[in-house]
């Protein structure tokens, strides 16, 4: 099964907002609300940022938000900060009872 | 706090076997599903396997099905990944990760164990 589609890179200036898309199909992103987002800094383990499409775990800044329309989920980061520079991955449950990740998006804070 | 510590990584020849362990603490291990997720050098996340909390239901990616086996010992608070018939493309950092209410997400991750398959 192919990875969910994410842009390879996005960038923004401090204080701006950016959105990262995650496109799948009706068999994964579009068919379930089990979409989650992970932040990964170089050499570190991933960190859960958003789960069940829109929910934020305790301790995650409210600058991070998630949404979904059809087969595409999105992660929006508002008020960009230098420490947001990292790789971001989406993940979704699939109709085959597997877990599928996106290819990852490198966020650069200019 | 939740702590997941992987061990057992190393260098193995193609066709060889390796068993990874993940020692869990800080939560009721027996009540949660657990995943193995890997990341090849410079590449993205790649889900490997999931085991439900009783250990009776197991799920695998197509790329490892028939070669890898996920298991758990709830009495020892430990997750395992038995990897057989290893291939160079299995070279990666392997993370164990804790699920939440079997919603196919991971709210806690270990630091990872590096597996290198090379002759």
């Amino acid at each position: 099964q192919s990875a969910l589609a994410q842009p390879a890179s996005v960038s923004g200036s401090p204080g701006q907002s950016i959105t990262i898309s995650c496109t799948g199909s009706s068999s994964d992103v579009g068919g379930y609300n089990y979409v989650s987002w992970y932040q990964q800094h170089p050499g570190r383990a991933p960190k859960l940022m958003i789960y069940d499409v829109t929910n934020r775990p305790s301790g995650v800044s409210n600058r991070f938000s998630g949404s979904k329309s059809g087969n595409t989920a999105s992660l929006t980061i508002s008020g960009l900060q230098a420490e947001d520079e990292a790789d971001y991955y989406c993940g979704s449950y699939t109709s085959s009872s597997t877990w599928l990740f996106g290819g990852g998006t490198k966020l650069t804070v200019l | 706090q939740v702590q997941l510590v992987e061990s057992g990584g190393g260098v193995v020849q193609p066709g060889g076997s390796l068993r990874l362990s993940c020692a869990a603490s800080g939560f009721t291990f027996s009540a949660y599903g657990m995943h193995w997720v890997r990341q090849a050098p410079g590449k993205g996340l790649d889900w490997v396997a999931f085991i439900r909390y009783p250990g009776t239901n197991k799920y695998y990616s197509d790329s490892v099905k028939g070669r890898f086996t996920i298991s758990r010992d709830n009495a020892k608070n430990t997750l395992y990944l038995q990897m057989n018939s290893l291939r160079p493309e299995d070279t990666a950092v392997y993370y164990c990760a804790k699920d939440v209410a079997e919603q196919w997400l991971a709210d806690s991750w270990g630091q990872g164990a590096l597996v290198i398959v090379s002759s």
Side-chain angles (χ1 to χ4, degrees):
Chain A
Q1 196 165 9
S2 299
L4 302 173
Q6 295 183 234
S9 63
V10 297
S11 62
S13 299
Q16 287 186 330
S17 294
I18 63 95
T19 296
I20 300 171
S21 61
C22 170
T23 301
S25 70
S26 58
S27 296
D28 39 68
V29 174
Y32 306 92
N33 285 328
Y34 290 157
V35 176
S36 50
W37 289 91
Y38 301 86
Q39 176 192 66
Q40 187 179 34
H41 288 108
R44 304 292 299 274
K47 175 187 177 183
L48 177 66
M49 305 303 285
I50 295 288
Y51 67 96
D52 294 354
V53 179
T54 61
N55 295 324
R56 214 172 29 249
S58 173
V60 172
S61 170
N62 60 9
R63 297 185 298 104
F64 292 82
S65 62
S67 62
K68 188 180 82 167
S69 177
N71 297 335
T72 298
S74 299
L75 173 71
T76 297
I77 309 174
S78 59
L80 267 181
Q81 298 180 1
E83 61 260 35
D84 298 333
E85 185 162 294
D87 294 327
Y88 291 84
Y89 296 91
C90 62
S92 174
Y93 174 71
T94 81
S95 59
S96 302
S97 293
T98 61
W99 195 16
L100 190 60
F101 285 103
T105 298
K106 181 177 180 61
L107 169 62
T108 300
V109 180
L110 302 170
Chain B
Q1 73 281 18
V2 173
Q3 194 166 13
L4 299 169
V5 180
E6 300 94 338
S7 60
V11 181
V12 60
Q13 291 189 335
S17 298
L18 210 57
R19 188 176 84 155
L20 300 181
S21 299
C22 171
S25 61
F27 67 104
T28 305
F29 178 73
S30 59
Y32 291 90
M34 297 291 295
H35 297 273
W36 286 101
V37 177
R38 66 185 179 182
Q39 187 170 34
K43 302 297 184 181
L45 301 177
D46 180 32
W47 173 75
V48 174
F50 173 63
I51 184 168
R52 293 194 183 277
Y53 65 90
T56 50
N57 296 89
K58 306 173 185 182
Y59 307 84
Y60 299 93
S61 68
D62 287 344
S63 60
V64 307
K65 197 175 296 183
R67 300 188 299 124
F68 290 13
T69 301
I70 188 172
S71 63
R72 64 191 298 161
D73 186 335
N74 287 338
K76 294 183 177 180
N77 290 343
T78 303
L79 176 73
Y80 302 100
L81 185 68
Q82 177 66 44
M83 303 184 292
N84 299 330
S85 303
L86 281 161
R87 306 166 178 166
E89 55 265 35
D90 295 320
T91 294
V93 172
Y94 285 73
Y95 295 101
C96 67
K98 170 182 163 288
D99 197 280
V100 177
E102 304 193 348
Q103 292 181 315
W104 294 80
L105 60 91
D107 68 343
S108 299
W109 299 66
Q111 85 289 350
L114 177 61
V115 172
I116 297 174
V117 184
S118 173
S119 54

